Amino acid sequence: MRDLYIDIETYSSVSLPDCGLHKYMESPDFEILLLSYAYDNEPVRCIDIASGEEIPPELIYALTDTETVKHAWNAAFEYTAFMKFFTGIDTAQWTDDMVVSLYHGFPASLGDAGKALGLPQDKQKDARGKRLIRLFSIP
């Protein structure tokens, strides 16, 4: 078994907080902008889809491979996005690390969970990321 850790950044003209996940992703202009991923303990790679980079075939294969456990924080967001573009996505192959955090008594917020775990600053959620998401992903 391999572990695949995934995080995506997306755009939609529909407000996610106001309308919810499915309306957000059903918008005709919904798109995945960035896809960051890492296998097991390998370095993180980032694909800039918005700039024309393509998802490698081996990553597309891993999204449906039964021998690959997919991990994401609030995994429903990632697998629902991938289901829009790829067939064969099985939600049973995903682990929601936010749920794991809650199960162990840690916060649901990624930033708060990192602080509660006492992670070094360079391993915690970067506050600059939130500003960039607002700039590129929110109409």
Side-chain angles (χ1 to χ4, degrees):
M1 285 290 218
R2 287 186 86 181
D3 289 294
L4 172 61
Y5 301 91
I6 304 172
D7 184 40
I8 59 173
E9 302 304 332
T10 61
Y11 172 83
S12 174
S13 59
V14 174
S15 169
L16 181 60
D18 294 340
C19 298
L21 175 67
H22 293 285
K23 293 272 188 213
Y24 176 85
M25 290 187 186
E26 288 169 3
S27 173
D29 61 1
F30 171 79
E31 62 181 317
I32 299 173
L33 303 173
L34 296 171
L35 190 165
S36 297
Y37 68 101
Y39 291 100
D40 301 316
N41 292 316
E42 295 176 7
V44 175
R45 300 174 213 166
C46 184
I47 303 167
D48 187 348
I49 297 168
S51 293
E53 291 182 26
E54 303 219 356
I55 301 172
E58 62 273 9
L59 180 57
I60 294 171
Y61 173 78
L63 292 173
T64 59
D65 178 29
T66 58
E67 296 298 312
T68 304
V69 179
K70 280 65 82 175
H71 296 263
W73 196 271
N74 191 15
F77 188 84
E78 270 75 8
Y79 65 65
T80 302
F82 288 127
M83 289 169 117
K84 185 168 171 103
F85 301 106
F86 305 109
T87 58
I89 304 294
D90 181 358
T91 60
Q93 298 173 359
W94 287 74
T95 296
D96 189 329
D97 293 329
M98 181 176 69
V99 173
V100 174
S101 178
L102 289 166
Y103 179 81
H104 291 285
F106 289 101
S109 158
L110 180 59
D112 291 343
K115 289 176 190 166
L117 285 166
L119 295 177
Q121 193 64 38
D122 67 323
K123 301 291 186 210
Q124 290 188 32
K125 185 170 177 121
D126 189 342
R128 294 174 297 173
K130 189 170 188 174
R131 290 191 300 273
L132 290 171
I133 290 168
R134 296 188 82 64
L135 177 65
F136 292 110
S137 299
I138 300 175

